[in-house]
Amino acid sequence: MCKPNINTNSLTDIRHYLHQYPELSGQEINTASYIAEQLQLLAPDNIIQGIAGTGVAAIFDSGVEGKSLLFRCELDALPIQSIHNKPYSSKHLGISHQCGHDGHMAIILGLAKAIADKRPKRGKAIILFQPAEETGEGARDVVADPLFSQIQANENYALHNLPQQPLGEVIIRSGTFNCASRGMIVRLLGRTAHAAYPETGISPQMALAQLLQGVADLPNQIKRQELVMVTVVHCDMGEVAFGTAPAAACLMATLRTESNEAMQELVDIGKNLVEDTAKQYNLQSSIEWSDVFDASVNDEQCVQQVIDAAKVCGESVRLIDEPFRWSEDFGAISATSKGAMFAFGGGENFPQIHNQDYIFNDELIEKGRNIFFEIYRQLL
Ligand SMILES: [Zn+2]
Ligand SMILES: [Zn+2]
């Protein structure tokens, strides 16, 4: 397929093109340059490239006082080999858009075109293609980039497709929408010994056993009425060698909470547990954090704005009682002012995101574009 053009090709063609050339988090160089090329064709007032590495934004500025709105999507794909067989399947071995960010990009590019055709009467509209969502680094890095001051908006909006839900259903709530989460990597270090004389070394065995139980108990120590979870995802110790008593052990767990405050408490008591346990057994210890996501918190008024727009577009709306347990880094952007993110039903028979057989439902492209455009139309 040759490069589709935003002015002459369909948004589905664009989605299929992006699908063929997926790039991993932080490496979305060709994707970003294609997006920038297409935005150029729409003649916005400003295009900003290189935000937090590969991020791209377009600004449509009325030049008249008014609100600023930001609509965000993600550039990155996943290190997953997809197993579907489409004419537009990924050409990059072991990498694929198994989260549907190709679809989100098509939606937001479609929105940019609709805004270019009907420019804001007041205020400004900002379109953001953000890098590295999957690692949780992208949105935080965008906010930390000095360029962010040029795109910081009064209200921020984003969606995520959600398969196995009715097609086009807008699923939303005020308050926490996605949980905070982070990976905890604990390393313990003692000293090896001959397996016949283990008492001459320092084994992490008992400390590891104690920590496996201890981390599972951490949520019980958080006195808050909200979801708090610790999931052990991996552990190992020593070498596969019957002659050697081990020196090193590693434990990895995913921490998950509804609020950022609870996450801070969980992190603090987790650190204490590791340090105390290591000390008790005369071991060295370290903790590393990975895949750090803040909670994504929805503003009540922005949620109402999404609901109103969805209704105008004829989509059904479902308010959920509890936040989704999965994480999304949009919260870092909405926390700079306010905003709302919603899950967008991808159709009952579509496989779950991050699965090898997942595929983005193209029917969502126009529907998503229309909801965002309606929000834009009502506010600007
Ligand atoms: Zn994902
Ligand atoms: Zn995603």
PDB file of all heavy atoms in Angstrom, residues 41 52 55 125 141 180 196 225 236 243 268-269 295 300 325 344 358 380:
ATOM      1  N   LEU A  41      -0.594  18.858   5.818  1.00  0.00           N
ATOM      2  CA  LEU A  41      -1.571  19.017   4.734  1.00  0.00           C
ATOM      3  C   LEU A  41      -2.830  19.730   5.211  1.00  0.00           C
ATOM      4  O   LEU A  41      -3.588  20.267   4.413  1.00  0.00           O
ATOM      5  CB  LEU A  41      -1.961  17.641   4.159  1.00  0.00           C
ATOM      6  CG  LEU A  41      -0.839  16.812   3.537  1.00  0.00           C
ATOM      7  CD1 LEU A  41      -1.347  15.427   3.149  1.00  0.00           C
ATOM      8  CD2 LEU A  41      -0.278  17.525   2.305  1.00  0.00           C
ATOM      9  N   ALA A  52       8.853  15.095  23.916  1.00  0.00           N
ATOM     10  CA  ALA A  52       9.262  13.885  24.642  1.00  0.00           C
ATOM     11  C   ALA A  52       9.799  12.832  23.676  1.00  0.00           C
ATOM     12  O   ALA A  52       9.452  11.664  23.758  1.00  0.00           O
ATOM     13  CB  ALA A  52       8.090  13.325  25.448  1.00  0.00           C
ATOM     14  N   GLY A  55       6.875  12.699  20.038  1.00  0.00           N
ATOM     15  CA  GLY A  55       5.516  13.259  20.089  1.00  0.00           C
ATOM     16  C   GLY A  55       5.280  14.356  19.067  1.00  0.00           C
ATOM     17  O   GLY A  55       6.187  15.127  18.742  1.00  0.00           O
ATOM     18  N   ALA A 125      -7.855  24.459  19.574  1.00  0.00           N
ATOM     19  CA  ALA A 125      -7.934  22.999  19.649  1.00  0.00           C
ATOM     20  C   ALA A 125      -6.542  22.443  19.420  1.00  0.00           C
ATOM     21  O   ALA A 125      -5.834  22.870  18.501  1.00  0.00           O
ATOM     22  CB  ALA A 125      -8.896  22.467  18.605  1.00  0.00           C
ATOM     23  N   ASP A 141       6.580  12.079  30.317  1.00  0.00           N
ATOM     24  CA  ASP A 141       7.664  12.778  29.620  1.00  0.00           C
ATOM     25  C   ASP A 141       7.141  13.964  28.803  1.00  0.00           C
ATOM     26  O   ASP A 141       7.818  14.982  28.678  1.00  0.00           O
ATOM     27  CB  ASP A 141       8.423  11.811  28.703  1.00  0.00           C
ATOM     28  CG  ASP A 141       9.279  10.830  29.494  1.00  0.00           C
ATOM     29  OD1 ASP A 141       9.378  10.995  30.729  1.00  0.00           O
ATOM     30  OD2 ASP A 141       9.834   9.900  28.889  1.00  0.00           O
ATOM     31  N   ALA A 180      -3.849   3.449  39.383  1.00  0.00           N
ATOM     32  CA  ALA A 180      -2.399   3.643  39.381  1.00  0.00           C
ATOM     33  C   ALA A 180      -1.762   2.258  39.454  1.00  0.00           C
ATOM     34  O   ALA A 180      -2.319   1.355  40.080  1.00  0.00           O
ATOM     35  CB  ALA A 180      -1.989   4.467  40.594  1.00  0.00           C
ATOM     36  N   ALA A 196      27.323 -28.138  50.301  1.00  0.00           N
ATOM     37  CA  ALA A 196      27.578 -29.014  51.452  1.00  0.00           C
ATOM     38  C   ALA A 196      27.834 -28.212  52.728  1.00  0.00           C
ATOM     39  O   ALA A 196      27.733 -28.738  53.834  1.00  0.00           O
ATOM     40  CB  ALA A 196      28.781 -29.910  51.157  1.00  0.00           C
ATOM     41  N   GLN A 225     -10.799   2.818  51.830  1.00  0.00           N
ATOM     42  CA  GLN A 225     -11.901   2.125  51.163  1.00  0.00           C
ATOM     43  C   GLN A 225     -11.704   2.203  49.656  1.00  0.00           C
ATOM     44  O   GLN A 225     -12.389   2.914  48.958  1.00  0.00           O
ATOM     45  CB  GLN A 225     -13.245   2.777  51.536  1.00  0.00           C
ATOM     46  CG  GLN A 225     -13.630   2.629  52.989  1.00  0.00           C
ATOM     47  CD  GLN A 225     -13.742   1.165  53.409  1.00  0.00           C
ATOM     48  OE1 GLN A 225     -14.287   0.336  52.685  1.00  0.00           O
ATOM     49  NE2 GLN A 225     -13.200   0.836  54.570  1.00  0.00           N
ATOM     50  N   ASP A 236      12.925 -15.440  41.317  1.00  0.00           N
ATOM     51  CA  ASP A 236      13.930 -16.470  41.092  1.00  0.00           C
ATOM     52  C   ASP A 236      15.025 -16.337  42.145  1.00  0.00           C
ATOM     53  O   ASP A 236      15.134 -15.319  42.837  1.00  0.00           O
ATOM     54  CB  ASP A 236      14.512 -16.434  39.666  1.00  0.00           C
ATOM     55  CG  ASP A 236      15.279 -15.163  39.373  1.00  0.00           C
ATOM     56  OD1 ASP A 236      16.055 -14.712  40.234  1.00  0.00           O
ATOM     57  OD2 ASP A 236      15.114 -14.604  38.272  1.00  0.00           O
ATOM     58  N   GLY A 243      25.578 -27.888  43.353  1.00  0.00           N
ATOM     59  CA  GLY A 243      26.733 -27.762  44.225  1.00  0.00           C
ATOM     60  C   GLY A 243      26.815 -26.421  44.938  1.00  0.00           C
ATOM     61  O   GLY A 243      27.700 -26.201  45.761  1.00  0.00           O
ATOM     62  N   ASP A 268       5.683   3.072  50.248  1.00  0.00           N
ATOM     63  CA  ASP A 268       6.431   3.313  51.490  1.00  0.00           C
ATOM     64  C   ASP A 268       6.492   2.053  52.360  1.00  0.00           C
ATOM     65  O   ASP A 268       7.561   1.686  52.854  1.00  0.00           O
ATOM     66  CB  ASP A 268       5.801   4.474  52.284  1.00  0.00           C
ATOM     67  CG  ASP A 268       6.011   5.810  51.581  1.00  0.00           C
ATOM     68  OD1 ASP A 268       6.909   5.875  50.707  1.00  0.00           O
ATOM     69  OD2 ASP A 268       5.276   6.771  51.873  1.00  0.00           O
ATOM     70  N   ILE A 269       5.344   1.404  52.557  1.00  0.00           N
ATOM     71  CA  ILE A 269       5.372   0.217  53.436  1.00  0.00           C
ATOM     72  C   ILE A 269       6.067  -0.951  52.731  1.00  0.00           C
ATOM     73  O   ILE A 269       6.684  -1.789  53.383  1.00  0.00           O
ATOM     74  CB  ILE A 269       3.964  -0.185  53.972  1.00  0.00           C
ATOM     75  CG1 ILE A 269       3.001  -0.527  52.833  1.00  0.00           C
ATOM     76  CG2 ILE A 269       3.383   0.892  54.867  1.00  0.00           C
ATOM     77  CD1 ILE A 269       1.685  -1.119  53.348  1.00  0.00           C
ATOM     78  N   ALA A 295      -2.784   7.148  38.519  1.00  0.00           N
ATOM     79  CA  ALA A 295      -4.213   6.938  38.292  1.00  0.00           C
ATOM     80  C   ALA A 295      -4.702   7.985  37.293  1.00  0.00           C
ATOM     81  O   ALA A 295      -4.192   9.104  37.270  1.00  0.00           O
ATOM     82  CB  ALA A 295      -4.973   7.070  39.601  1.00  0.00           C
ATOM     83  N   GLU A 300     -15.633  15.701  36.705  1.00  0.00           N
ATOM     84  CA  GLU A 300     -17.077  15.495  36.562  1.00  0.00           C
ATOM     85  C   GLU A 300     -17.667  16.256  35.371  1.00  0.00           C
ATOM     86  O   GLU A 300     -18.450  15.719  34.585  1.00  0.00           O
ATOM     87  CB  GLU A 300     -17.751  15.955  37.858  1.00  0.00           C
ATOM     88  CG  GLU A 300     -19.086  15.304  38.069  1.00  0.00           C
ATOM     89  CD  GLU A 300     -19.697  15.677  39.413  1.00  0.00           C
ATOM     90  OE1 GLU A 300     -18.929  15.884  40.386  1.00  0.00           O
ATOM     91  OE2 GLU A 300     -20.930  15.750  39.471  1.00  0.00           O
ATOM     92  N   ARG A 325      -9.239  -1.735  36.328  1.00  0.00           N
ATOM     93  CA  ARG A 325      -8.001  -2.077  37.026  1.00  0.00           C
ATOM     94  C   ARG A 325      -6.770  -1.797  36.173  1.00  0.00           C
ATOM     95  O   ARG A 325      -5.684  -1.571  36.698  1.00  0.00           O
ATOM     96  CB  ARG A 325      -8.012  -3.556  37.415  1.00  0.00           C
ATOM     97  CG  ARG A 325      -8.958  -3.852  38.553  1.00  0.00           C
ATOM     98  CD  ARG A 325      -8.843  -5.310  38.924  1.00  0.00           C
ATOM     99  NE  ARG A 325      -9.739  -5.645  40.025  1.00  0.00           N
ATOM    100  CZ  ARG A 325      -9.775  -6.848  40.596  1.00  0.00           C
ATOM    101  NH1 ARG A 325      -8.990  -7.811  40.160  1.00  0.00           N
ATOM    102  NH2 ARG A 325     -10.608  -7.082  41.580  1.00  0.00           N
ATOM    103  N   PHE A 344     -14.274   2.766  24.899  1.00  0.00           N
ATOM    104  CA  PHE A 344     -15.160   2.814  23.738  1.00  0.00           C
ATOM    105  C   PHE A 344     -15.381   1.380  23.258  1.00  0.00           C
ATOM    106  O   PHE A 344     -14.444   0.726  22.774  1.00  0.00           O
ATOM    107  CB  PHE A 344     -14.455   3.659  22.666  1.00  0.00           C
ATOM    108  CG  PHE A 344     -15.356   4.246  21.641  1.00  0.00           C
ATOM    109  CD1 PHE A 344     -16.693   4.492  21.900  1.00  0.00           C
ATOM    110  CD2 PHE A 344     -14.859   4.584  20.393  1.00  0.00           C
ATOM    111  CE1 PHE A 344     -17.517   5.056  20.942  1.00  0.00           C
ATOM    112  CE2 PHE A 344     -15.662   5.150  19.432  1.00  0.00           C
ATOM    113  CZ  PHE A 344     -17.005   5.386  19.706  1.00  0.00           C
ATOM    114  N   TYR A 358      -6.001 -10.083  18.660  1.00  0.00           N
ATOM    115  CA  TYR A 358      -6.721  -8.801  18.713  1.00  0.00           C
ATOM    116  C   TYR A 358      -6.625  -8.077  17.379  1.00  0.00           C
ATOM    117  O   TYR A 358      -5.606  -8.122  16.693  1.00  0.00           O
ATOM    118  CB  TYR A 358      -6.118  -7.900  19.806  1.00  0.00           C
ATOM    119  CG  TYR A 358      -6.580  -6.469  19.695  1.00  0.00           C
ATOM    120  CD1 TYR A 358      -7.802  -6.071  20.214  1.00  0.00           C
ATOM    121  CD2 TYR A 358      -5.809  -5.528  19.007  1.00  0.00           C
ATOM    122  CE1 TYR A 358      -8.250  -4.767  20.071  1.00  0.00           C
ATOM    123  CE2 TYR A 358      -6.248  -4.221  18.861  1.00  0.00           C
ATOM    124  CZ  TYR A 358      -7.469  -3.855  19.392  1.00  0.00           C
ATOM    125  OH  TYR A 358      -7.909  -2.567  19.238  1.00  0.00           O
ATOM    126  N   LEU A 380     -15.986  24.961  21.376  1.00  0.00           N
ATOM    127  CA  LEU A 380     -15.266  26.025  20.662  1.00  0.00           C
ATOM    128  C   LEU A 380     -16.128  26.579  19.541  1.00  0.00           C
ATOM    129  O   LEU A 380     -15.756  26.971  18.529  1.00  0.00           O
ATOM    130  CB  LEU A 380     -13.915  25.503  20.133  1.00  0.00           C
ATOM    131  CG  LEU A 380     -12.947  24.991  21.199  1.00  0.00           C
ATOM    132  CD1 LEU A 380     -11.626  24.587  20.570  1.00  0.00           C
ATOM    133  CD2 LEU A 380     -12.658  26.063  22.257  1.00  0.00           C
TER     134      LEU A 380
END
